[in-house]
Amino acid sequence: MENTALEQEVNRQLAVLRRGTAEIISERELGEKIRVSLRTGKPMRVKLGADPSAPDLHLGHTVVLGKLRQFQDLGHQVVFIIGDYTARIGDPSGRSKTRPPLSGEQIDCNARTYFEQVYRILDPQRTEVRYNGEWLSVLSFEEIIRLASRFTIQQILERDDFSKRYHAQVPIFVHEFFYPLMQSYDSVAVEADVELGGTDQKFNFLLARELQVQHGQAAQVALMMPILAGLDGVQKMSKSLDNYIGIAESPVDMYGKCMSIPDGIMGQYYTLLTDVPETEIADIQRRIVEGTLHPMAAKKRLALLVTERFHGSTEAAAAQANFEAVFSRRVSTASADIAYEDVPLPGDLSGQPDVGVVDLLFMVGAAASKSELRRLVQQGGIEVNGERIADIGFRVSLRDLPLRMRVGKKRFLSVNRE
RNA sequence: GGGUAGGUGGCCGAGCGGUUAAUGGCGGCAGACUGUAAAUCUGUUGGCGAUGCCUACGGGGGUUCGAAUCCCUCCCUGCCCA
């Protein structure tokens, strides 16, 4: 009787946690850990390591964070590790290049901005934050050597990114080999029951399991989420590739960026970023193939759901309306129902009757250089109050403000008096 | 330590004394079209007070009327040997 209820709960938790995962090593062990946790009333310790070099969170990060949140909702404890010490090395994960190391101040500052964002998803009450410098900085050289002696170069070279670089004859520095060791040692230090991350972390997770066993602990369960593709649909979402959707972005940009993903990765986005049931997602995909559901309609719903998650339904609906006005109905800048970015008229222009388009746009910060703006004009990418400007010498009258301008496809400016 | 091949624009990669701001590809941007900031096609892609000027081919120095291209020197990387 007791036992049946327990097993039901174990299965319920497993079902929740399984959704969207790429791999769990192993599911049986996870079930066992949940069972023990329920019996003893001791929550599982679920580890996530974060690299403090990229303080702007994007949707790619939310895939793993969302999964952590599910653990919390099931009563478990998240152990969030800031890799301050690791950041001084430069994580080679998924990279073809060595990362530059970070300074202490940068790391602190990054960590602060990081948590402002992380707590939009995680429950601070069930989150324990640790810096790995706490235990890594006190290791003696002898201890480090001993740690390193447990693994072989060949094992480390098994790692995909290392072996790629090795075969491509791209330099791999010796210190980079320590990254997996440090991360694994983190698991030992915090006695992790489960570790979460992307599939690119698999090697590190497995290494941690071995190291924990060597230290007399039970091996952690490794739970890997798929890597979210970026806007290009091919590479992983990342800031450095500039193919990301930031969680702090405006509703309009968030919606628009969602609409710019290739049709082919919609399914992935649905599973990893929304809570639409998996059966329904399969149904959506089937109907697109059949031709009974327009891909654009499916994508609009996705964009709406994602935007709602971070901005609420009112803002999301407004973003959708704006998108339809600008891109479906192609409303010109003469219209008022477009989301404009307000910019003040530069001070030294007040009193002037008119100004050259290029100069005005430059002063207002619409582009990095005047050459770029000239190019935009010549290519027909500039519109002022609904009129496309073709001449780079065009002078804009400053008599009637606000001035509505379109710069390129997606920037809309409204120049106002201060 | 020895030998050898290299370091070119956001990235990859040609050029090897003179129309070379530097072929090409990727990426970016714009336009057309459309089903969306999808797809496809076309154009464009260092900066500026602009028929010219400035900056740029790892750093510094030199040869020359003229260098990314030749010489010296320093720094960095791959590969082979020890």
Side-chain angles (χ1 to χ4, degrees):
Chain A
M1 197 58 188
E2 231 335 88
N3 270 341
T4 337
L6 182 81
E7 286 312 309
Q8 272 176 0
E9 177 58 13
V10 170
N11 287 329
R12 185 186 74 90
Q13 294 204 5
L14 274 177
V16 172
L17 296 175
R18 197 160 32 219
R19 195 215 197 214
T21 54
E23 191 176 359
I24 302 176
I25 301 172
S26 66
E27 218 174 299
R28 190 189 54 73
E29 287 177 33
L30 181 59
E32 186 50 36
K33 281 180 189 269
I34 293 172
R35 193 171 294 116
V36 169
S37 162
L38 287 170
R39 281 219 187 91
T40 59
K42 237 181 93 186
M44 292 193 291
R45 292 173 65 72
V46 187
K47 174 194 169 198
L48 177 71
D51 164 20
S53 68
D56 287 323
L57 290 188
H58 54 64
L59 294 186
H61 299 110
T62 69
V63 172
V64 169
L65 289 173
K67 183 56 71 183
L68 275 182
R69 176 66 202 219
Q70 290 179 332
F71 273 96
Q72 292 184 320
D73 290 341
L74 294 171
H76 302 290
Q77 173 72 39
V78 165
V79 183
F80 202 103
I81 296 175
I82 299 286
D84 66 327
Y85 209 70
T86 325
R88 294 179 204 176
I89 288 187
D91 174 15
S93 293
R95 291 222 153 197
S96 48
K97 274 186 194 163
T98 308
R99 282 191 196 183
L102 287 184
S103 77
E105 304 84 78
Q106 275 176 309
I107 291 168
D108 285 347
C109 171
N110 288 353
R112 217 168 304 121
T113 22
Y114 208 80
F115 278 106
E116 281 167 22
Q117 300 170 74
V118 165
Y119 287 142
R120 297 173 125 178
I121 297 176
L122 289 188
D123 174 4
Q125 299 304 312
R126 292 185 180 278
T127 306
E128 172 185 328
V129 180
R130 304 286 287 273
Y131 288 78
N132 67 359
E134 189 189 322
W135 49 85
L136 292 179
S137 65
V138 298
L139 287 176
S140 70
F141 198 68
E142 188 190 333
E143 287 170 305
I144 294 167
I145 298 288
R146 195 169 293 147
L147 198 60
S149 74
R150 299 182 196 265
F151 303 99
T152 66
I153 298 283
Q154 285 87 339
Q155 282 177 320
I156 305 235
L157 274 177
E158 282 297 302
R159 234 176 91 148
D160 202 42
D161 47 354
F162 281 138
S163 72
K164 270 189 196 135
R165 282 161 66 182
Y166 186 74
H167 291 296
Q169 307 193 331
V170 174
I172 301 172
F173 293 89
V174 175
H175 73 278
E176 297 183 59
F177 278 174
F178 281 86
Y179 182 81
L181 290 179
M182 293 165 91
Q183 190 176 328
S184 302
Y185 190 72
D186 290 347
S187 290
V188 173
V190 303
E191 300 186 36
D193 291 306
V194 183
E195 177 159 13
L196 251 69
T199 48
D200 54 344
Q201 296 294 314
K202 184 169 176 172
F203 174 84
N204 295 342
F205 290 1
L206 296 177
L207 202 58
R209 281 164 60 88
E210 290 185 42
L211 202 62
Q212 283 177 309
V213 170
Q214 288 173 6
H215 279 76
Q217 297 179 15
Q220 66 180 14
V221 167
L223 189 152
M224 285 148 287
M225 298 300 291
I227 303 293
L228 187 73
L231 300 180
D232 55 286
V234 182
Q235 310 224 60
K236 74 175 205 176
M237 184 176 283
S238 86
K239 198 185 176 190
S240 52
L241 292 172
D242 196 29
N243 64 354
Y244 68 99
I245 305 177
I247 69 169
E249 288 193 70
S250 75
V252 166
D253 283 340
M254 197 176 261
Y255 189 94
K257 282 189 175 184
C258 284
M259 290 306 287
S260 81
I261 64 169
D263 292 351
I265 61 168
M266 271 196 276
Q268 186 194 354
Y269 272 48
Y270 264 107
T271 20
L272 298 176
L273 300 173
T274 73
D275 41 25
V276 175
E278 287 175 287
T279 49
E280 198 179 328
I281 297 169
D283 194 51
I284 290 170
Q285 293 192 294
R286 186 182 48 77
R287 286 168 55 212
I288 289 175
V289 174
E290 273 176 4
T292 54
L293 176 66
H294 201 294
M296 183 175 68
K299 206 186 283 179
K300 278 169 118 175
R301 182 177 168 208
L302 171 71
L304 191 68
L305 287 170
V306 170
T307 311
E308 271 176 359
R309 183 170 166 205
F310 296 97
H311 295 284
S313 47
T314 318
E315 297 263 346
Q320 184 165 61
N322 181 69
F323 185 87
E324 284 165 353
V326 175
F327 299 106
S328 304
R329 286 185 282 119
R330 319 225 157 234
V331 170
S332 83
T333 42
S335 161
D337 44 307
I338 289 176
Y340 291 93
E341 187 183 324
D342 282 313
V343 288
L345 184 72
D348 30 331
L349 244 45
S350 54
Q352 302 282 339
D354 59 8
V355 63
V357 239
V358 171
D359 291 322
L360 175 62
L361 286 169
F362 183 73
M363 283 190 248
V364 132
S369 74
K370 290 189 184 178
S371 298
E372 191 179 327
L373 288 164
R374 270 181 218 110
R375 235 175 273 135
L376 271 169
V377 173
Q378 281 160 351
Q379 295 180 140
I382 303 290
E383 217 176 83
V384 178
N385 288 332
E387 299 280 326
R388 178 179 284 185
I389 305 302
D391 171 20
I392 58 169
F394 184 85
R395 298 194 68 82
V396 185
S397 165
L398 296 174
R399 251 178 273 282
D400 300 309
L401 294 181
L403 209 53
R404 299 269 155 88
M405 298 196 286
R406 178 177 194 161
V407 185
K409 259 186 247 194
K410 48 206 177 210
R411 286 196 75 186
F412 293 88
L413 305 177
S414 173
V415 181
N416 303 294
R417 221 169 275 294
E418 258 176 303

